[in-house]
Amino acid sequence: MQYSADGQSDGAVTAPHPGFLASVFRDLGVEEPTADDPSGRPPGAPDGPSPTGRPASEPLAAGGDEDVAAHARAAALTHHRTLTVQAEHERLADLLRRSALPVSAMDFESQLRRYEPRPYPDGAPPTAAGADPEPRWGDYAPAEPPASDPDGPPVPRLLDSDYQRGLAKARLTHQRALREWRTRQAEAGSPAADESRRAHDEAEQARARAVREYNDSLEECRRAYRQAEPAAVESLLERALAAAETNTRDLPAPCRAVYRPLTRTAVLDLDLPPLDVVPSLTGYRLAPDGEVLPVPRPPADRASDYLRLVARLALRALQAADAVDTDEILAGVVLNGWLREPGGTRPLCLVSVDADRDALARTRLLPPTDPDEEPDGEGVYADAEQDEALVRLRQLDAAVSPDPYGRAGVEPAARAAATVPAAPDLSANEFAQLVRELLTRGGLGQWSVRLRGPVGLVATGEGPVGSALPGRWVVWASRGEGPVGEEEIRTLAEAVHEESAERGLRLTTGHFTDGALDLTGEDGHRHIHLVDGDGVRELTHTHLGLSLAAGH
């Protein structure tokens, strides 16, 4: 008797497998019958009736032994639940494979539509009857067979089998076209045919007009995109990100984009899949007392599989944004992966990437999809530290959660709260890009970054004689609301001396203490110039024509 998952009989009688019977007999403490003793008695057991009162040679009746029946039901339930868990693992492996497939570029050229006229249903072009010429044999006749020897006699066409077959086929085609032409000529004067042809013409004109209007609107979007209008850039990015999800529509991972013209950076917010997408069990086992027990997976293995999936989704989004930006409007991309759980809890950032264009260009964003390139015997379940997607994500200096199931989040590289950001909203790359743009517009060329960290950078530059920033400079720029004191001014003065520079610039989005301001007025530090948060916002408006919001 075969039993379903809930332990009820489904009415089907099946023969248990030998391996299954062996496990049943072992669990009951009875030795398995051997081929030499088909009666089912253990070796050496005496003949005669069994302790149950039945003859020893009489087999157990179906359902007669309740212990064996209960054990069989539990074993079937264990097997069924284990198969369900195995199906969940196979789905995860398939998701990992499909999320690593290359995405199609969604640039403007690929989105253009083309109008192709559809012929009138009877095969005639939608034109007046008089403009429909009679099919001519010359348009269907096959070409003469070429001569193998130009100087020799012509090849007899009757002996060329290929030519004869082509000639017969051409005659049939010509005759068919001629019959259809005559039919159209006979129906040309019908009022119903004229009305049908007119309706076809109007429908084709509407189709052509719709394609033309769509392409015109797309061209307008391209113009706005090339002018770096935020709405146009965001629209293009989100269409590319949506197209990247084609291979995994059963795993929703929407991604929103915010473009900041101030730093020419796109901030992407990626919604990560729920944590239960990764199976928590390896299967089920049957306890000696008949209870079906789950076999949990090691927490580290489950976390590794989830991070592996997250890495592929993040790389896919980065590749989609990089591939669609054919006019190089973007100077960088920031991606934050958010886990949004039901219940109104605060979203948790599990991965954050801050990559400039050069870093994206140097990185192969997607792992290999060829199974031969995976480590032997590991496949998609390779060790997380060796997983290709995670390795490439860390090459971009990404911050990745060490334990997503422990709700261990990371600090987002930048916030996508507004198109006009404040200094704390900027990523490290954005701040470096902003400082370089401001000082380059001010006349400081030959820019060279010496040190860069999450909150600032140290760089050198030179300005030509007669510019607003002449000579060699050491620039120390930092973002933060805290005050800059005298000690940092002295440190900058030492760096100016070590770099054989002429001047130093201390730039901060915060403010300076009174002691720092007094120090730069002394003779030994007059070559140090200061720019505070208000000065940064003023320079941004003057040189870039854009606004930097006040800190918060």
Side-chain angles (χ1 to χ4, degrees):
M1 186 74 69
Q2 187 173 3
Y3 293 87
S4 62
D6 58 0
Q8 299 298 322
S9 170
D10 61 2
V13 179
T14 59
H17 296 291
F20 172 76
L21 282 178
S23 66
V24 171
F25 278 100
R26 282 196 300 270
D27 292 339
L28 293 178
V30 180
E31 296 187 12
E32 182 182 1
T34 62
D36 297 334
D37 190 3
S39 66
R41 296 190 304 273
D47 295 335
S50 65
T52 60
R54 290 189 302 271
S57 60
E58 181 180 345
L60 294 175
D65 193 320
E66 292 298 330
D67 292 338
V68 173
H71 189 89
R73 287 193 296 270
L77 180 60
T78 303
H79 179 65
H80 173 75
R81 291 181 176 177
T82 299
L83 289 179
T84 302
V85 173
Q86 291 176 355
E88 293 176 356
H89 282 270
E90 292 173 359
R91 178 176 181 269
L92 174 62
D94 183 56
L95 286 174
L96 288 169
R97 179 189 62 81
R98 287 186 284 129
S99 60
L101 294 175
V103 299
S104 300
M106 280 292 294
D107 55 5
F108 287 101
E109 292 298 331
S110 65
Q111 298 180 64
L112 286 173
R113 295 178 182 176
R114 290 169 178 79
Y115 168 71
E116 295 182 1
R118 292 180 298 191
Y120 190 65
D122 64 357
T127 57
D132 187 8
E134 179 180 356
R136 296 183 301 107
W137 166 246
D139 297 333
Y140 296 85
E144 294 286 340
S148 57
D149 183 4
D151 299 329
V155 178
R157 291 185 295 177
L158 293 177
L159 301 181
D160 191 329
S161 59
D162 291 338
Y163 175 77
Q164 292 298 325
R165 283 193 297 268
L167 183 63
K169 183 178 179 180
R171 284 174 177 167
L172 290 175
T173 303
H174 176 250
Q175 292 172 2
R176 186 182 304 112
L178 193 59
R179 285 196 303 270
E180 293 174 355
W181 178 82
R182 289 170 179 168
T183 300
R184 291 195 300 271
Q185 292 296 315
E187 297 177 351
S190 170
D194 292 342
E195 183 63 27
S196 174
R197 194 180 298 276
R198 187 180 305 107
H200 177 85
D201 291 344
E202 292 176 355
E204 287 301 296
Q205 292 172 6
R207 287 182 61 241
R209 183 169 57 254
V211 170
R212 184 170 59 254
E213 291 175 354
Y214 172 83
N215 289 340
D216 290 344
S217 65
L218 194 64
E219 188 61 33
E220 182 64 20
C221 291
R222 182 192 301 208
R223 181 200 61 77
Y225 160 72
R226 287 175 173 170
Q227 293 180 0
E229 296 182 9
V233 177
E234 291 168 4
S235 175
L236 180 64
L237 287 173
E238 290 188 348
R239 277 185 287 180
L241 294 168
E245 297 183 57
T246 303
N247 296 324
T248 55
R249 295 192 182 278
D250 54 335
L251 183 70
C255 191
R256 292 166 295 279
V258 171
Y259 175 68
R260 299 208 271 242
L262 178 66
T263 57
R264 296 170 48 217
T265 298
V267 183
L268 311 180
D269 275 348
L270 173 67
D271 285 355
L272 299 178
L275 294 173
D276 58 7
V277 72
V278 176
S280 60
L281 304 176
T282 59
Y284 287 83
R285 66 179 180 87
L286 186 62
D289 60 356
E291 185 179 1
V292 180
L293 300 177
V295 181
R297 298 185 64 198
D301 290 352
R302 193 182 184 199
S304 297
D305 288 342
Y306 184 79
L307 292 179
R308 187 173 296 111
L309 180 60
V310 166
R312 282 163 166 77
L313 295 177
L315 289 177
R316 185 178 69 180
L318 289 173
Q319 187 197 43
D322 181 62
V324 77
D325 186 32
T326 53
D327 289 314
E328 299 186 359
I329 299 299
L330 301 179
V333 177
V334 175
L335 181 140
N336 298 319
W338 298 93
L339 177 64
R340 305 181 191 274
E341 297 180 294
T345 58
R346 186 176 181 181
L348 184 67
C349 184
L350 297 182
V351 60
S352 188
V353 186
D354 180 17
D356 57 23
R357 170 168 290 281
D358 293 337
L360 293 177
R362 291 193 304 267
T363 305
R364 276 182 63 195
L365 292 180
L366 288 177
T369 57
D370 187 355
D372 296 336
E373 298 186 37
E374 296 282 0
D376 293 339
E378 295 179 348
V380 295
Y381 291 103
D383 188 281
E385 294 301 322
Q386 304 299 323
D387 182 74
E388 189 71 19
L390 281 168
V391 169
R392 293 178 183 179
L393 203 59
R394 291 190 174 101
Q395 288 175 351
L396 296 172
D397 294 328
V400 182
S401 167
D403 184 11
Y405 291 92
R407 305 307 192 270
V410 298
E411 186 67 23
R415 298 283 183 175
T419 303
V420 180
D425 297 326
L426 301 178
S427 69
N429 281 330
E430 283 188 281
F431 183 70
Q433 174 71 19
L434 176 61
V435 172
R436 176 174 182 173
E437 191 73 14
L438 289 176
L439 299 182
T440 301
R441 296 286 184 93
L444 198 63
Q446 299 184 21
W447 185 262
S448 176
V449 176
R450 300 302 178 88
L451 296 173
R452 191 175 75 178
V455 297
L457 60 94
V458 176
T460 61
E462 294 187 20
V465 178
S467 65
L469 300 172
R472 181 173 174 81
W473 290 71
V474 175
V475 179
W476 181 1
S478 63
R479 56 187 179 126
E481 298 180 1
V484 175
E486 302 174 45
E487 187 60 32
E488 295 187 18
I489 303 302
R490 293 190 177 95
T491 302
L492 177 57
E494 294 175 2
V496 171
H497 177 71
E498 292 175 359
E499 290 287 340
S500 300
E502 300 171 10
R503 295 177 176 84
L505 176 62
R506 183 65 177 94
L507 182 148
T508 178
T509 57
H511 63 279
F512 297 97
T513 63
D514 292 338
L517 295 173
D518 294 339
L519 183 60
T520 55
E522 298 178 1
D523 291 339
H525 295 85
R526 292 185 185 276
H527 61 297
I528 304 299
H529 300 262
L530 307 180
V531 178
D532 61 5
D534 292 337
V536 172
R537 286 189 288 275
E538 184 178 349
L539 289 173
T540 301
H541 182 73
T542 301
H543 293 298
L544 303 181
L546 299 169
S547 299
L548 178 66
H552 49 77

